[in-house]
């Protein structure tokens, strides 16, 4: 089943237009040059000075180990045998209102601008010292994308471990393209992302992932320190001169044609696209914001080729949404449309 992610299309001016639908009947085309799905993205220097502000708060509260105060007793030692071991607290109660707002505003803006997600989950703040780790798991119900924002002084660390580990997509589709003449090691099966200071790591939450065990550091200030959570609520929205009613009317016919062309889509994941609409109502550009679509073999129709499944969906979206016509308006608009295949 495919659902246009969210029960409505909204704009900063409010209002909604129903946009929930199921898609039917794939016809492979050959228009869109497919770069493949993107399951991992990193952004260095994400918060700038705000990252230093947040880090300073943490360091000051652990500066004097003999001093007792509420912010030293707010930590949950989360230990699930053979799965999770770390110290965590809610970031909203740890940082002051201004610093927390700067953090969440930056994350929310990124999710809307780059992923087609309208919100984030309440972020956790966690530190890892000797023996802390997260073994492989997947956070599928939480949101389509997970994030890790590092406040770790990675260049000054005295510990080993602490990387974010993710199973490579090739590992999850192991037998496709298997070559018995080539040996494999951990790096061929697992991708590891170093939590550099102020690095935002965003990844497909369906990917099994974890944190390699931290060893050799007992001081919280010297350990792995990260903010983490999920980007949530993939939802259509618009900005600019077009009203929500005009956007809904302009999308109605292209979506109907799109639904008629794809059935049932043999892919799973999220595709978020943004239409740049000119004042004359034509689509000047269609940009893919996020694409985690992979083939779902269980949905392939008899005789269908797995390699045709992604192109069928991507080309249909490109053709029908790229050819949308909206009402002429007084200026340019952007329309973001996420599709959730589940």
């Amino acid at each position: 089943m495919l659902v246009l992610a969210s029960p409505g299309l909204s704009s900063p001016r409010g209002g909604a237009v129903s946009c929930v639908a199921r898609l039917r009947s794939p016809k492979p085309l050959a228009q869109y040059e497919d770069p493949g799905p993107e399951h991992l993205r990193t952004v260095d220097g994400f918060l700038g000075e705000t990252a230093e502000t947040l880090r300073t708060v943490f360091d000051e509260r652990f500066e004097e180990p003999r001093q007792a105060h509420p912010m030293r007793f707010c930590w949950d030692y989360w230990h699930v045998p053979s799965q999770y071991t770390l110290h965590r607290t809610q970031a909203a109660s740890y940082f002051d209102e201004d610093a927390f707002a700067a953090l969440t505003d930056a994350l929310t803006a990124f999710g809307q601008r780059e992923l087609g997600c309208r919100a984030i989950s309440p972020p956790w703040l966690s530190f890892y010292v000797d023996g802390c780790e997260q073994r492989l798991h997947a956070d599928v119900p939480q949101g389509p994308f997970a994030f890790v924002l590092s406040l770790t002084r990675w260049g000054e660390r005295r510990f080993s471990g602490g990387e974010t580990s993710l199973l490579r997509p090739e590992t999850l589709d192991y037998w496709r393209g298997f070559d018995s003449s080539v040996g494999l090691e951990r790096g061929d099966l697992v991708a590891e992302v170093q939590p550099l200071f102020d690095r935002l790591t965003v990844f497909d939450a369906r990917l099994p992932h974890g944190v390699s065990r931290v060893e050799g550091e007992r001081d919280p200030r010297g350990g792995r320190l990260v903010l983490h959570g999920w980007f949530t609520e993939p939802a259509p929205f618009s900005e600019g001169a077009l009203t929500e009613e005009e956007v809904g009317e302009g999308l109605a016919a292209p979506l109907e044609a799109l639904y008629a062309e794809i059935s049932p889509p043999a892919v799973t994941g999220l595709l978020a696209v943004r239409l740049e609409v000119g004042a004359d109502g034509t689509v000047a550009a269609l940009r893919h914001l996020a694409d985690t679509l992979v083939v779902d073999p269980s949905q392939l129709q008899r005789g269908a080729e797995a390699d045709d499944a992604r192109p069928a969906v991507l080309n249909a979206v490109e053709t029908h949404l790229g050819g949308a016509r909206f009402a002429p308006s007084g200026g340019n608009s952007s329309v973001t449309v996420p599709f959730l295949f589940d």
Side-chain angles (χ1 to χ4, degrees):
M1 182 178 74
L2 179 149
V3 175
L4 185 57
S6 155
L9 176 71
S10 62
S11 82
R13 287 172 282 184
V17 176
S18 179
C19 290
V20 174
R22 302 185 182 191
L23 297 191
R24 307 183 177 241
S25 132
K27 295 179 185 174
L29 301 174
Q31 311 162 332
Y32 180 68
E33 210 169 299
D34 183 9
E38 181 188 28
H39 299 287
L40 171 66
R41 191 182 302 184
T42 59
V43 180
D44 290 334
F46 179 73
L47 283 180
E49 292 183 6
T50 300
E52 290 288 351
T53 298
L54 299 176
R55 176 70 209 210
T56 298
V57 170
F58 180 82
D59 287 340
E60 289 176 349
R61 289 176 176 170
F62 277 100
E63 187 173 11
E64 178 45 68
R66 293 182 177 84
Q67 185 181 38
H69 54 78
M71 289 295 100
R72 291 184 66 92
F73 296 104
C74 66
W75 295 93
D76 168 36
Y77 176 63
W78 191 37
H79 176 66
V80 178
S82 302
Q83 188 62 68
Y84 308 107
T85 302
L86 56 113
H87 304 259
R88 63 181 185 173
T89 191
Q90 282 287 329
S93 59
Y94 195 80
F95 299 112
D96 66 43
E97 186 175 340
D98 289 343
F100 182 72
L103 165 67
T104 55
D105 286 352
L107 287 168
T108 302
F110 178 88
Q112 293 181 357
R113 184 179 68 249
E114 302 295 338
L115 305 174
C117 292
R118 297 297 303 272
I120 60 170
S121 65
W124 291 96
L125 176 68
S126 296
F127 72 82
Y128 295 65
V129 289
D130 193 63
C132 291
E133 63 180 340
Q134 290 195 47
R135 297 192 183 178
L136 289 175
H137 64 284
D139 305 307
V140 179
Q142 305 291 345
F145 297 98
F147 70 82
V148 178
L149 177 54
S150 177
L151 299 179
T152 309
R153 300 292 189 190
W154 188 254
E156 303 167 15
R157 73 191 185 284
R158 296 171 295 181
F159 61 86
S160 61
E163 297 88 356
T164 298
S165 303
L166 306 100
L167 283 189
R168 294 185 182 277
E170 300 86 351
T171 305
L172 297 171
D173 196 12
Y174 185 73
W175 296 112
R176 183 186 297 212
F178 176 76
D179 185 348
S180 61
S181 68
V182 178
L184 299 174
E185 296 183 344
R186 176 180 169 81
D188 300 306
L189 304 172
V190 178
E192 292 193 332
V193 182
Q194 296 179 338
L196 304 183
F197 184 77
D198 200 18
R199 166 176 282 178
L200 176 67
T201 300
V202 181
F203 58 90
D204 184 343
R206 301 171 302 170
L207 291 181
H209 59 277
V211 177
S212 56
R213 180 188 290 249
V214 170
E215 295 181 324
E217 180 60 78
R218 294 188 176 183
D219 186 338
R221 295 171 299 172
R224 179 186 194 260
L225 178 65
V226 295
L227 292 145
H228 53 105
W230 296 269
F231 291 101
T232 64
E233 298 182 23
F237 64 95
S238 64
E239 296 178 295
L242 290 170
T243 67
E244 59 268 23
E245 291 82 9
E246 290 168 338
V247 172
E249 291 170 2
L251 287 176
L255 288 176
E256 184 178 358
L258 179 61
Y259 303 157
E261 186 164 327
I262 305 175
S263 105
V267 293
T268 180
L270 180 140
L271 173 67
V273 300
R274 177 163 296 146
L275 311 180
E276 301 298 342
V277 182
D280 64 353
T282 61
V283 176
L286 185 152
R287 183 163 70 93
H288 287 218
L289 303 181
D291 174 4
T292 65
L293 300 185
V294 294
V295 177
D296 180 356
S298 70
Q299 296 298 316
L300 286 172
Q301 302 298 299
R302 184 182 297 275
E305 294 290 335
D307 289 344
D308 292 337
R310 268 182 59 87
V313 172
L314 297 176
N315 289 333
V317 169
E318 191 85 6
T319 297
H320 297 297
L321 292 192
R325 292 299 300 264
F326 298 87
S329 62
N332 297 332
S333 301
S334 65
V335 179
T336 300
V337 187
F339 296 92
L340 186 61
F341 297 77
D342 192 3

